[in-house]
Amino acid sequence: LVYQKLEKLRNEKIVKSFLEAVATLTLNEEIDFNDWESLLIVGQVHLTQGQELAAEVKPAIGEKCERCWKVLPINNGLCERCQTAILK
């Protein structure tokens, strides 16, 4: 479901890579999992609850992180996650 929509964005040249996309998933039950971005290989994932399983994909807003290449809010070239990783 998600990959078909991602491929459409890429084929239409709206995004160059999946890391430039944000996926919004509507789940009909809560799932105890917190690494959706790595699983789907996208820059951002937003989860909502609903009656039926659904997915929406669109270009992410932000800039490309120099370290992880995800399109996110950036500070000094790095996203918050990468800044934290470098400081450790």
Side-chain angles (χ1 to χ4, degrees):
L1 187 66
V2 173
Y3 287 108
Q4 290 173 341
K5 294 179 180 200
L6 286 168
E7 280 296 333
K8 184 177 180 190
L9 284 181
R10 192 164 60 177
N11 289 338
E12 293 174 355
K13 304 211 184 302
I14 296 171
V15 297
K16 292 180 184 176
S17 84
F18 293 171
L19 294 175
E20 297 174 359
V22 57
T24 301
L25 303 178
T26 302
L27 305 174
N28 56 6
E29 63 182 68
E30 190 171 328
I31 297 176
D32 186 23
F33 185 71
N34 64 358
D35 198 11
W36 290 99
E37 289 87 357
S38 295
L39 178 68
L40 299 174
I41 313 171
V42 294
Q44 302 172 50
V45 173
H46 301 291
L47 300 176
T48 61
Q49 292 242 224
Q51 295 294 334
E52 295 184 24
L53 183 64
E56 178 186 344
V57 179
K58 60 185 178 182
I61 296 172
E63 298 176 52
K64 188 176 186 179
C65 175
E66 295 174 6
R67 183 171 178 262
C68 70
W69 296 3
K70 293 180 181 179
V71 175
L72 299 163
I74 300 295
N75 186 15
N76 294 325
L78 298 175
C79 67
E80 184 178 337
R81 186 179 135 263
C82 288
Q83 286 178 354
T84 302
I86 288 174
L87 293 175
K88 285 187 176 182

